[in-house]
Amino acid sequence: MARRVPAALLLLACAAAACGKKGPARPPAPRGPLPPGGVEARQIGDRVLVRFTVPQPRGERPSQRPARAELIRVDNPPGLAVPADPEAFRLRGKVVALEQGEALEPGSRAQLEDPTVAQLPGGGAGWTVRYAVRVRDVRGRPSPLVAAADLELVAPLAAPDRLAATATAEGIRLSWRPPSEAGKSQYNVYRASAGESFGERPLNVEPLASTEFLDQAVTLGSTYRYAVRTVQGAGPPFRESDSSSVVTVVAADRFPPAPPTGLVAAQEGAAVRVFWNPSPERDVAGYNVYRRLPDGGWARLAGPVRETTYLDRDPPAGSLIAYRVTAVDAASPPNESEPSAPTEVVVAREPTREVRP
């Protein structure tokens, strides 16, 4: 008669054999938010800003939405090589800033500010700081930790002074004064549309050595805000002063084009053809053609025309007629140039054809 094996012994045997499964034990799958993206640290004045892209939740449940972001910092004193230690944040990191609430909209850019960095010895100058961002969901489950590039702090830089902005025919021209205590400084220029914050990247590709900048990438009629910062070398990571005073300017075009040149008139049968040189200015939208008869003043004959030629189909025969042309731009209302130098033509009567029998 077969002996029955106790159920407890069967369970022990299954556990010992891992129930038929082979290989090392696997950690549980992560359940917190996905990793934050685009983590970048920059020094502005005596503080550090860390910007990042808020990650998407790992699932569709309300409890999986991002609810809190944590900024962790690791400090490395001056003069020492910064170790590439993957355990640095676990062993030496400390949370220096938190963000929670509506600012953590998945896919948006958010920022965390560390104002305590100035409490390092010497105000932080020469220290290398390493930041990482971690996002937690409503239930407190964390995302993976994502680090920014190391940032070597400098003594706070002085901001530029007396920023001014002027709308010109070429774009918005900016000028400013260097900080009074600065030597040979470099600068970054930032722009924002009305109601928006300044972007993370300056308008200039490389730091500016001059105290002037022309912003040609503007849209006529739009309102812009500008600020300038003194900069320590190229970035990222950026090390900059606080912003200068902010100026607001409307990209309005109040500047007429240059007058057309090379005006010529020639009779074509009973009509008169007028030619002129095309304007070299990029915002010219067309031309106005004016005519003056012997017994009157200047009157607009046509315009604006896009071509650089016009055919006057009905000139008075036998008369000395003068023509001139102006250029108009794309502004609303358009700006009109001074008139070109006039040209004159005597409109001959068409010769009478001889009728032969």
Side-chain angles (χ1 to χ4, degrees):
M1 181 175 178
R3 296 175 62 187
R4 297 181 61 185
V5 180
L9 292 177
L10 289 174
L11 289 174
L12 289 173
C14 181
C19 295
K21 295 182 181 178
K22 298 181 180 180
R26 296 180 181 179
R31 303 182 67 186
L34 296 172
V39 180
E40 289 191 359
R42 69 195 304 156
Q43 180 182 353
I44 298 182
D46 61 354
R47 65 196 189 281
V48 172
L49 296 182
V50 179
R51 290 189 170 97
F52 63 97
T53 300
V54 180
Q56 298 294 332
R58 211 172 275 273
E60 299 180 355
R61 297 177 181 175
S63 62
Q64 293 177 300
R65 288 187 59 82
R68 187 176 71 184
E70 301 169 346
L71 182 63
I72 301 99
R73 189 183 82 208
V74 173
D75 303 328
N76 298 280
L80 296 179
V82 180
D85 183 5
E87 294 292 303
F89 288 104
R90 185 178 66 84
L91 298 175
R92 300 189 290 123
K94 56 183 177 181
V95 177
V96 293
L98 297 172
E99 179 65 68
Q100 53 192 359
E102 296 181 357
L104 298 179
E105 179 65 27
S108 67
R109 290 293 281 175
Q111 76 175 31
L112 291 160
E113 179 176 332
D114 178 12
T116 68
V117 72
Q119 299 172 8
L120 290 169
W127 285 69
T128 299
V129 288
R130 184 177 296 169
Y131 287 93
V133 175
R134 177 171 56 212
V135 177
R136 295 182 182 273
D137 64 15
V138 174
R139 294 180 60 181
R141 293 170 294 198
S143 73
L145 204 64
V146 178
D150 289 351
L151 177 65
E152 184 178 346
L153 301 172
V154 297
L157 304 171
D161 189 24
R162 298 190 183 182
L163 176 63
T166 305
T168 71
E170 295 81 22
I172 304 297
R173 188 172 296 279
L174 303 170
S175 63
W176 58 91
R177 282 178 44 176
S180 56
E181 68 272 21
K184 202 170 183 180
S185 299
Q186 294 181 310
Y187 308 96
N188 282 340
V189 177
Y190 292 87
R191 184 186 75 189
S193 299
E196 296 182 353
S197 57
F198 292 112
E200 299 179 44
R201 295 290 186 269
L203 294 179
N204 48 291
V205 178
E206 297 292 336
L208 302 172
S210 69
T211 56
E212 291 186 350
F213 181 77
L214 177 63
D215 182 11
Q216 295 180 293
V218 296
T219 302
L220 293 178
S222 297
T223 301
Y224 297 101
R225 298 164 56 244
Y226 292 91
V228 180
R229 298 173 190 156
T230 310
V231 59
Q232 179 76 33
F238 293 100
R239 294 169 295 173
E240 302 171 316
S241 70
D242 287 316
S243 296
S244 66
S245 58
V246 177
V247 295
T248 303
V249 62
V250 179
D253 186 358
R254 306 183 184 91
F255 307 93
T261 61
L263 185 64
V264 175
Q267 185 169 353
E268 291 185 4
V272 173
R273 174 81 63 179
V274 186
F275 306 85
W276 58 92
N277 295 329
S279 173
E281 300 185 37
R282 60 186 178 94
D283 65 338
V284 168
Y287 304 91
N288 289 333
V289 181
Y290 292 83
R291 184 178 72 178
R292 184 181 64 194
L293 301 178
D295 57 351
W298 290 102
R300 191 171 79 167
L301 186 63
V305 296
R306 292 188 174 274
E307 297 79 14
T308 55
T309 180
Y310 178 75
L311 183 64
D312 181 6
R313 299 180 181 276
D314 190 28
S319 301
L320 175 66
I321 303 177
Y323 295 90
R324 70 184 188 187
V325 179
T326 62
V328 292
D329 62 18
S332 181
N335 300 297
E336 186 174 17
S337 73
E338 293 292 323
S340 67
T343 186
E344 296 180 337
V345 61
V346 176
V347 182
R349 299 181 184 278
E350 286 190 282
T352 303
R353 294 182 180 179
E354 182 180 354
V355 180
R356 295 183 179 182

